[in-house]
Amino acid sequence: MLSFETLSGLRFNFRVGGIALHDGNVLIHRDPADAYWTPPGGRVEAGETAAEALRREMHEETGFDVSVGRLLWIVENFFVWRGKPFHEILFYHLMDMPAAALAQPAFRGREGAIDLEFAWVDARAPGVNILPGFLRAALPALPLAPVHVVVRDIPKPG
């Protein structure tokens, strides 16, 4: 995985996420220990394209084979998770889910020892906490060409 910790204690990740839409809803997932949801995906491995990583991660976590479409967003994401600062480069691709996933309003997945919750939701519904936060406004009108987004939830060093 393209993930490492810097000497300053900052964790760097290269990740990919999938944006799957169905009947006006978006597919999101979470670790039940977290109070927020994100589009599904995972870390990219060395030698793997973002699209290959997304297909692999979705199969590993859900058992579903997905079709990966065009690149939507390139996100530089700076945040703190469970007390640790992160710098993440994240590629979001449009993704098509198979009919079996579309037929379920919610389903379970697994990442290693962690049970994951997946659900189809209206991203604009009150009380749905989707991160990174820009997605709430961006999901209803997907960009026609890739857009670069910087999300800084922690102060810039120095």
Side-chain angles (χ1 to χ4, degrees):
M1 286 179 273
L2 296 174
S3 178
F4 57 87
E5 190 166 315
T6 67
L7 293 176
S8 67
L10 183 91
R11 168 67 57 187
F12 176 83
N13 284 327
F14 176 24
R15 290 181 53 85
V16 64
I19 304 297
L21 304 172
H22 178 64
D23 288 341
N25 294 319
V26 63
L27 181 65
I28 55 177
H29 85 315
R30 72 174 179 175
D31 175 336
D34 293 326
Y36 61 88
W37 297 80
T38 64
R43 288 179 282 199
V44 178
E45 294 182 0
E48 193 174 47
T49 68
E52 290 166 345
L54 183 55
R55 280 190 291 276
R56 176 186 51 75
E57 284 285 341
M58 291 303 296
H59 186 77
E60 288 174 2
E61 293 177 5
T62 67
F64 293 127
D65 292 321
V66 302
S67 174
V68 178
R70 64 188 173 87
L71 179 63
L72 299 170
W73 296 287
I74 302 163
V75 181
E76 294 181 72
N77 195 12
F78 300 86
F79 61 96
V80 174
W81 181 66
R82 296 183 180 170
K84 184 162 221 40
F86 279 77
H87 175 183
E88 184 173 85
I89 303 298
L90 176 57
F91 288 11
Y92 279 116
H93 285 265
L94 202 53
M95 172 176 75
D96 289 326
M97 297 295 294
L102 301 177
Q104 303 175 58
F107 54 92
R108 294 261 184 212
R110 193 158 183 84
E111 180 179 17
I114 301 169
D115 287 324
L116 299 172
E117 298 174 344
F118 289 79
W120 294 97
V121 301
D122 180 344
R124 295 168 294 180
V128 177
N129 184 15
I130 299 176
L131 295 178
F134 84 94
L135 288 171
R136 190 174 200 55
L139 284 168
L142 298 181
L144 298 177
V147 174
H148 174 229
V149 177
V150 177
V151 177
R152 190 176 287 280
D153 290 333
I154 58 175
K156 185 177 179 180

